[in-house]
Amino acid sequence: MTTEKLVSEIRKKHSFLCVGLDVDLDKIPSFLLNEEDPIFSFNKAIIDATHQFAVAYKPNTAFYEAYGIQGWKSLEKTIKYLNENYPEVFTIADAKRGDIGNTSSRYAKAFFEDLGFDSVTVAPYMGKDSVEPFLNFKDKHTILLALTSNEGAFDFQTKKVEDDEVYKHVLKTSKNWKNSENLMYVIGATKAEYLAEVRNIVPKSFLLVPGVGAQGGSLTEVCKYGMAENIGLLINSSRGIIYASQEANFAEVAAKQAEKMQLEMKTILDGIH
Amino acid sequence: MTTEKLVSEIRKKHSFLCVGLDVDLDKIPSFLLNEEDPIFSFNKAIIDATHQFAVAYKPNTAFYEAYGIQGWKSLEKTIKYLNENYPEVFTIADAKRGDIGNTSSRYAKAFFEDLGFDSVTVAPYMGKDSVEPFLNFKDKHTILLALTSNEGAFDFQTKKVEDDEVYKHVLKTSKNWKNSENLMYVIGATKAEYLAEVRNIVPKSFLLVPGVGAQGGSLTEVCKYGMAENIGLLINSSRGIIYASQEANFAEVAAKQAEKMQLEMKTILDGIH
């Protein structure tokens, strides 16, 4: 998907919501466990109920890998279902991969070509030649971890390296990589004031923002500091939406939660136009 | 596997060789493509032929993921085959994972419990709470990326942060994490002189060293700077061993290459005793 198409979907749906599909068999409604593929059944119901309020879906691959072959089958079915039924949504494989060049090429092929995701999250630690193989795919996006939303973000990412914090150094360095126009960045919402500094370095890039809601970040603050001319934000919510209810009407309740966030987003978008 | 057991295997086999199982269908002997599971057939032949010269095997998960469900099946069969037939070898899932706490727990469970690997490689960028869930497993080992063997290592890992380079900061910080005795580190061989500095910080930890051979590092140099009292080294070789021949006798040729490295290792080990 092109960035222009993503922006146009955001404007059409008045939403920059990304729903995180972090499926845990211990947390989904127990009656689904009788289904042949409970994970896919859950995802399908959530997607069908929430797609009008969301522009993106983000399965975190760890939750699928944890169920072995069966989990990978559920992941394959989920991305296929999205691509066939809702080709207008932006899909993110939250895989946090990154390896030496020829190995990163393998991951890129797996996520972009074989599975058909629009984007994949990638860790920056191994540098340029570990990320560029991902950037090599037309209309596919590489979402580089810059400043994450967890406690451990302060262990390395915010340490001073040369004149900058590590995460700023990552942002600046990555701009010089080949096909860097295919880069987006993960910037945690728990530190909204950092978003202004991020915007000084990457004024137009899309930012995938976890940590609003469950992890304590505020949507208004994130938009205040992080919104760009082309919106440039995807706000992720996982648990707050998909596990809002464990009852028979779980999908309906999830839709209500998604709609609530979408309405907040609409208010913000209306306010800036 | 305990570290003591690994050290005892190294002394018994006079080898600290790790064979990287980075299986690529374009590179394996073409007659294997007629087999039901060419990847597993290849791995099985390589393992059977080389196990007397190697103490560890390291499949890089990217190569398996690239083949989708079929690739994951081959990976499952490979680790199962190793655990059932050669329980004395140390197994490494080269997955370079790392995510927020509850998600890292998922990966740890998948690799340690479900697949049954002895260790997994983990990226440090997200800090303490992204790594500690891996450290929580008894007699399982977390091999943290510190200084990798690729060009991109110089993008961030060797930059000065506070008083140290990033990779040294990672080493020092990680020593304070809970169950840090379960940590090992990836240190690339292409910069052997760095190994002395690494040993100042982690005198006893095992180091997984890629980049000897194909990527240009020297075994003698690595041992000179990196060997510890308990040996503390696993030297990885992938392409140089497993793709030494594409002919019918590929496994035999691979074994010859493995033996050659093992003999060099024996000479070094004999020299220090």
Side-chain angles (χ1 to χ4, degrees), chain A residues 3-271:
Chain A
T3 308
E4 292 68 33
K5 170 76 177 155
L6 172 60
V7 174
S8 120
E9 283 300 311
I10 290 174
R11 297 204 191 275
K12 205 159 97 187
K13 287 184 174 169
H14 308 281
S15 168
F16 39 99
L17 176 63
C18 173
V19 176
L21 298 172
D22 302 351
V23 184
D24 182 339
L25 290 178
D26 295 335
K27 289 186 184 159
I28 68 175
S30 54
F31 70 89
L32 285 176
L33 300 177
N34 302 321
E35 304 263 328
E36 196 197 326
D37 184 343
I39 296 178
F40 176 65
S41 297
F42 178 80
N43 282 348
K44 185 176 173 301
I46 292 285
I47 292 163
D48 288 341
T50 59
H51 75 94
Q52 54 186 314
F53 309 117
V55 292
Y57 287 89
K58 178 177 78 62
N60 184 314
T61 53
F63 289 81
Y64 299 83
E65 278 184 41
Y67 298 112
I69 303 287
Q70 189 48 56
W72 274 94
K73 282 189 187 159
S74 305
L75 180 65
E76 276 196 6
K77 279 156 82 178
T78 301
I79 181 65
K80 200 171 167 220
Y81 186 77
L82 280 165
N83 283 335
E84 282 177 1
N85 295 277
Y86 306 105
E88 74 281 8
V89 305
F90 185 75
T91 54
I92 304 168
D94 193 4
K96 301 187 178 68
R97 297 297 194 264
D99 208 309
I100 60 171
N102 69 329
T103 314
S104 272
S105 301
R106 293 272 152 166
Y107 280 130
K109 189 185 165 296
F111 287 108
F112 292 150
E113 288 188 352
D114 302 341
L115 290 168
F117 277 97
D118 292 314
S119 66
V120 61
T121 58
V122 170
Y125 193 72
M126 294 180 69
K128 174 175 161 162
D129 57 318
S130 73
V131 181
E132 281 189 343
F134 289 97
L135 297 175
N136 222 2
F137 289 74
K138 195 173 147 57
D139 298 335
K140 299 287 184 179
H141 307 265
T142 303
I143 311 181
L144 199 62
L145 302 187
L147 188 60
T148 55
S149 59
N150 63 323
E151 271 284 312
F154 299 103
D155 285 332
F156 307 118
Q157 299 166 23
T158 56
K159 297 290 180 202
K160 276 267 188 196
V161 56
E162 291 169 1
D163 287 338
D164 279 322
E165 287 90 346
V166 167
Y167 80 93
K168 286 192 199 167
H169 193 70
V170 167
L171 292 171
K172 288 181 184 174
T173 305
S174 68
K175 285 173 72 175
N176 298 319
W177 295 342
K178 201 179 162 195
N179 300 316
S180 63
E181 68 279 9
N182 293 334
L183 279 169
M184 300 180 171
Y185 300 94
V186 173
I187 306 287
T190 40
K191 302 162 263 287
E193 68 277 17
Y194 285 91
L195 280 159
E197 309 211 30
V198 168
R199 277 294 173 219
N200 284 333
I201 306 170
V202 288
K204 292 178 185 175
S205 303
F206 259 83
L207 310 179
L208 172 63
V209 183
V212 169
Q215 289 172 67
S218 140
L219 180 64
T220 317
E221 289 286 292
V222 166
C223 293
K224 180 177 161 194
Y225 295 112
M227 197 165 275
E229 213 172 303
N230 67 348
I231 316 299
L233 290 174
L234 289 171
I235 307 288
N236 184 72
S237 176
S238 305
R239 287 166 281 172
I241 291 177
I242 68 173
Y243 298 132
S245 161
Q246 271 71 44
E247 306 303 320
N249 66 343
F250 71 97
E252 212 177 296
V253 180
K256 280 265 175 286
Q257 289 300 314
E259 185 179 21
K260 202 175 135 200
M261 288 194 73
Q262 183 267 327
L263 286 172
E264 285 180 51
M265 289 174 178
K266 184 175 187 303
T267 305
I268 291 167
L269 289 173
D270 288 348

